[in-house]
Amino acid sequence: MSRRLRVILVALLLVIPVVLGGCWSRREIERLAFVQAVAVDKAVEPNKIQLTVELARPSALAATSQGGGSLERAVWQVSATGYNVFDALRNFASQSSRQLFWAHNRLLVFGEDIAREGVEDVLDAFFRDPEMRGSTKVAVCKGDTGANFLQAEVPLERVPSQGVVGIVLNGVEKLSTVVDVDVALFDRALAAEGLEPIAIRAEIIDLVSEDESRGSLERGTISKAPRITGAAVFRGTKLVGWLNKAETRGFNWIKGNTQSSVIVVEKPNERDKFLSVELVRANSKLRTEVVDGKPRVIIQIEAMGNFADRENIFVNPEGIAPSVLSIERQMATVIKNEVEAVIKRAKEFGSDIFGFGEAFHRFHPKAWKQFKEDWNDKGFQELEVKVEVKTMLRRSGLIELEVPLGK
Amino acid sequence: MAVLEGGKISGKQFVALTVLTRILAALIEAPTISGTDAGHDVWIAVLISTILVLPWALILVHLAKMFPGKTIIEYSQDILGPWLGRLVGLVLIVYFIQQSAHAARVAADAYVTTIMPETPLIVFIATLTALSANCARCGLEVLARAADIVFPIVIFLLVLILVLPFNIVDFFNLLPIAAYGWGSIVEATFSSFAIFGELLVMTMLFPYLDEKKDTGRLAVTTVLVSGFLFTWLSIMIALVFGPVMESLILPAFSLSRAIELAFVVERVEVIPLVAWTLGAGVKQTVFLWAAMLAIAQLFNLSEMKSLAYPVGALVAAFGVWLFSTVFDALQFFTATKFGPLGILVCYAIPVVLYIGALIRQAVRPSRREEGQM
């Protein structure tokens, strides 16, 4: 054996193991089933949980990309039960011909029952496994199971979970009556002192069944659609209640999460007629104080809006300025009411979802030591909240006040 | 006596080698490695330990200047006499082998945890060790050139991980300072200090610097650069994860997973994987080379090349045997585990040597003669 040959052989021997390392953990794409969404519910058997996954069907999805809509459903829903998440996950192997692949999972839905009992074990699994991602959205289905929620479809999307995530993003951007919570955020809220988690509130609504007029949109009949609005309030890992639309927007005002929204106010010159103001920007500042050993927070909210509706301000003999002022005052009142409503509701639930406690922990660490023990039941309940709202009305789109209607 | 290691390294290469050696811990387990519950305050501990390490680094430099061209194995015999000196040398050899094994082990553990759960640990350790042993066999210059190439890549990747999550940071996560009390910060400082002891390997590298007058500047640069990167990482992880950070086993990896920019830059966890491989390779090789050199010098061998594979085999075995669970690995540098021993080896030995050297110098000014004994 020549020296050169020997060198080459040794080099090969050294290189091959590097590549071989991958063989143990190799996964072929044909053997994977991509999880799009997962629902967690209580199983019928005691002490067991049921997982339902929504798996993408590549064959059905591929058909659309080559033109011509496929009539097949693009997803397959399948359930498995087990004593804990990991057990249930592995039990899918007895039903699915492909390994479940989790990295593309976008939605985690809890049924109301299991959420009320506590979700700590479930969440742990979703944070521990390196295949799971922190950006998976966390929702709770109000009044129903998560499995049923996965059946609800948005007719616009082929993959139901894509529809749900789309609604969440849309709701956050356009309405601000929705919260956008993912696993990482939920987990952070659980880990923090003086901050309780919230989740997306999901509901199922029935679509009117009109089989004849369904036309070419087949894919079975879509009888149920998802609706995302409001928020689910947790205390620790247990669901304690729900926020409605206005309260959720109140929550978003406090957290400075409001992006765009609509504020409906009464027209300055006409009773019981309403005009919409498009909110374009809002931000909030939170100040904490300890006065005589009592916690106090001051929330300063600034909101800027545009006219979004016709308004004949000239009717007002005093001119434009007082009308604008009236609208601005009404906006401030709406915001203040919503903020106060959500704080009242959170106090009823005994759950500091705003992180006021965390703010005291950060800025008044000494005082926090006294509040810490029973913050949700005592400190938070006694908390004095002062809300200061400043609103501004700025632009009116392309039209000054209204399209002239002729006289 | 035959020249064991004929290589010379430039100052830049020295910094590349030592900083890469330090940075592996940052890439994989810092700041969780401190194994304490200082939470988001770990960065304070890292900062304090960086400052504490500086005088020690200067002692190492001064020792190298008092015994030019000699490694710690050689001058410990000059200072403490042949028997005690050899004992110290033996301890250091074990330490170097342990560090080399530690580098391979943590990288292998990280691969198994993250991407290849079914692959046996030994595969990664053996592969890394085979590469390191071959590199160390080629001598210091080859190793230094490898570090030269790897260094900018690793630093670039690390900075990428540190900068890209900027859109999800919450600066208030750092408040309140000392949330868990100063006791936990002191504990974390202790661990961080013990880990910093890795830089003891500088004492093996100093004699091979081509510009001896820069030694002090280079050592300080290494300490500051690595301390700075560690602090930055600790702060960034606190800013992104807040109270969750205590529970993370591979913080830099989790940090890279959290990166999500405009739906374009996301799922970049391959970045730390590349950096681990490169960093672990350099660190393992530096310590393997140091162990080989130390053995050759201690036992008056005529050459050190043939030691590469036997010592490499020892390192691989040590690597497998080092920890039984991931929790051992995380707690390794705390006050109840390896921490005190690490401090004894890395800090007490050089300080004792330094005091000894000063006494010898005072008693017998003709130190040069002594040195050439």
Side-chain angles (χ1 to χ4, degrees), chain A residues 205-233:
Chain A
I205 50 173
D206 290 324
L207 288 183
V208 186
S209 164
E210 298 168 73
D211 284 327
E212 301 81 31
S213 65
R214 200 149 283 281
S216 57
L217 184 70
E218 278 186 59
R219 225 201 300 168
T221 38
I222 299 176
S223 59
K224 291 188 287 184
R227 182 170 64 188
I228 308 288
T229 176
V233 179

Side-chain angles (χ1 to χ4, degrees), chain B residues 52-342:
Chain B
L52 287 178
V53 160
L54 274 176
W56 168 75
L58 292 175
I59 288 179
L60 297 186
V61 171
H62 204 203
L63 272 171
K65 288 211 167 130
M66 288 163 95
F67 300 93
K70 289 195 168 184
T71 67
I72 191 167
I73 305 293
E74 293 167 310
Y75 60 67
S76 64
Q77 290 176 45
D78 293 350
I79 296 167
L80 300 175
W83 289 107
L84 215 52
R86 277 190 190 130
L87 186 68
V88 166
L90 216 53
V91 170
L92 290 179
I93 288 167
V94 175
Y95 175 72
F96 291 149
I97 291 177
Q98 185 267 339
Q99 279 297 305
S100 184
H102 190 258
R105 174 61 188 258
V106 291
D109 261 345
Y111 291 130
V112 176
T113 304
T114 54
I115 46 166
M116 297 186 182
E118 285 104 39
T119 308
L121 191 73
I122 183 75
V123 174
F124 295 114
I125 292 184
T127 317
L128 276 170
T129 311
L131 288 169
S132 303
N134 270 286
C135 185
R137 192 169 177 271
C138 297
L140 183 60
E141 272 190 16
V142 172
L143 171 57
R145 264 177 269 144
D148 234 359
I149 299 168
V150 166
F151 186 63
I153 303 174
V154 172
I155 295 294
F156 174 73
L157 295 178
L158 181 61
V159 169
L160 218 54
I161 303 172
L162 290 177
V163 170
L164 284 180
F166 71 91
N167 57 341
I168 45 172
V169 301
D170 175 3
F171 286 98
F172 291 124
N173 275 343
L174 290 182
L175 288 174
I177 303 278
Y180 305 93
W182 286 97
S184 61
I185 295 183
V186 170
E187 264 178 63
T189 308
F190 180 85
S191 307
S192 176
F193 192 61
I195 306 168
F196 241 120
E198 300 171 328
L199 286 182
L200 185 69
V201 81
M202 291 197 298
T203 55
M204 301 300 284
L205 292 168
F206 284 142
Y208 303 102
L209 270 172
D210 56 2
E211 284 290 337
K212 295 284 193 304
K213 65 179 184 340
D214 289 342
T215 314
R217 196 171 53 80
L218 293 173
V220 171
T221 309
T222 297
V223 171
L224 291 184
V225 168
S226 53
F228 169 72
L229 287 170
F230 265 69
T231 314
W232 188 5
L233 182 79
S234 313
I235 291 177
M236 202 62 194
I237 288 166
L239 294 185
V240 170
F241 292 107
V244 181
M245 75 179 279
E246 292 168 53
S247 64
L248 301 174
I249 281 191
L250 299 165
F253 183 73
S254 296
L255 195 59
S256 70
R257 276 163 61 89
I259 293 172
E260 235 174 68
L261 277 182
F263 298 106
V264 180
V265 183
E266 51 183 43
R267 314 202 172 202
V268 291
E269 49 257 50
V270 70
I271 293 179
L273 289 171
V274 173
W276 289 343
T277 315
L278 301 176
V282 171
K283 180 176 175 184
Q284 197 193 1
T285 315
V286 169
F287 277 104
L288 184 58
W289 171 84
M292 284 156 56
L293 182 63
I295 292 172
Q297 286 178 340
L298 191 68
F299 298 104
N300 280 325
L301 303 185
S302 57
E303 57 108 26
M304 59 184 272
K305 266 187 184 172
S306 52
L307 286 173
Y309 297 123
V311 178
L314 209 57
V315 164
F318 217 143
V320 175
W321 170 79
L322 206 51
F323 314 122
S324 61
T325 69
V326 65
F327 311 109
D328 288 347
L330 293 179
Q331 299 283 325
F332 194 62
F333 286 99
T334 53
T336 49
K337 296 269 173 76
F338 182 73
L341 202 60

Side-chain angles (χ1 to χ4, degrees), chain A residues 307-320:
Chain A
F307 275 108
D309 260 330
R310 65 174 286 271
E311 163 59 5
N312 190 351
I313 287 177
F314 291 117
V315 172
N316 191 334
E318 286 164 49
I320 297 178

